[in-house]
Amino acid sequence: MIKVLLAEDQVMVRQGLKAMIETDDEIKVIGEADNGKKAVNLCEKQLFDVAILDIRMPEMDGIEAAKILRSRYPHMKILMLTTFDDNQYVLDALKLGVSGYMLKNGDTESLIRSIKSALSGGLSLEDQVAAKVMPVLLQKEYEEERQINPTLTPRERAILKCIGEGLNNKEVAERLGLSVGTVKNQTSHILDKLELRDRTQLAIYAIRHRLV
């Protein structure tokens, strides 16, 4: 059973999202909060596989809550949720290493797919969000165009490209004809070489260096 924490300040929206999520028998919302502070407190009492955090909440917003949860519970996956497809919110969340960014008006299938993708190491962005933020990622801060790390092997570059496309380890393995274990090991080597923290940063690196 996939254990989910859902933090959303609007009760009706939270109830609707919970109902959508639990249409999948493998997923259960076992914790609910109406602000980021309560979400953080719940994580001190209960283990969750995935935290879904609304960006805008009272007392503590989703970005601040994500920052705390990423530092305290690095193995827990975090998905951000909002009605505001604002570039800066997306960039702030991605820099923290979250596993996805979804709009509240998304459908049930997309929501469930994002949860499962996060647990598989994937990165999920709603199409509307991706269309707005990708050009920013390609230009902002990186217009100086750094050379891609020359120590990466051809296989590592191929894996990095797949990660940039949002593929999880199993999908990368299938595309490149490798074992999942090899993909995991190679991904760790890439992280070390690039001095990056996680797959989200790898995906951003791949996009910024035009591998995707």
Side-chain angles (χ1 to χ4, degrees), residues 40-184:
V40 171
N41 290 339
L42 278 175
C43 289
E44 295 176 355
K45 305 171 185 176
Q46 173 75 52
L47 294 176
F48 298 96
D49 300 303
V50 179
I52 301 176
L53 308 175
D54 183 21
I55 288 284
R56 298 192 179 188
M57 293 186 288
E59 289 196 57
M60 180 186 292
D61 64 27
I63 294 292
E64 186 61 30
K67 188 182 301 182
I68 295 171
L69 294 179
R70 284 290 296 159
S71 64
R72 294 182 184 176
Y73 313 101
H75 299 298
M76 183 172 65
K77 304 301 182 182
I78 299 175
L79 294 169
M80 306 306 297
L81 182 71
T82 189
T83 55
F84 306 93
D85 52 345
D86 180 275
N87 291 352
Q88 193 56 51
Y89 281 132
V90 180
L91 292 171
D92 289 344
L94 291 177
K95 286 176 182 177
L96 292 175
V98 303
S99 298
Y101 194 102
M102 305 171 297
L103 299 179
K104 292 183 184 180
N105 60 1
D107 56 41
T108 301
E109 183 179 344
S110 296
L111 181 58
I112 291 172
R113 185 171 59 246
S114 294
I115 293 171
K116 293 186 175 181
S117 175
L119 288 172
S120 299
L123 174 65
S124 299
L125 287 179
E126 292 280 2
D127 290 344
Q128 305 98 304
V129 177
K132 292 191 69 175
V133 77
M134 287 304 110
V136 179
L137 286 175
L138 287 171
Q139 295 174 15
K140 188 178 181 181
E141 300 178 18
Y142 286 80
E143 290 179 340
E144 66 271 19
E145 193 78 20
R146 295 183 299 177
Q147 289 285 327
I148 190 167
N149 191 304
T151 66
L152 293 181
T153 66
R155 175 182 286 182
E156 288 170 342
R157 290 188 182 217
I159 291 173
L160 182 58
K161 180 178 185 297
C162 292
I163 292 173
E165 294 175 10
L167 302 185
N168 60 39
N169 287 334
K170 182 180 179 182
E171 292 167 334
V172 174
E174 291 174 351
R175 176 179 292 187
L176 301 181
L178 303 171
S179 69
V180 174
T182 297
V183 173
K184 289 181 179 178

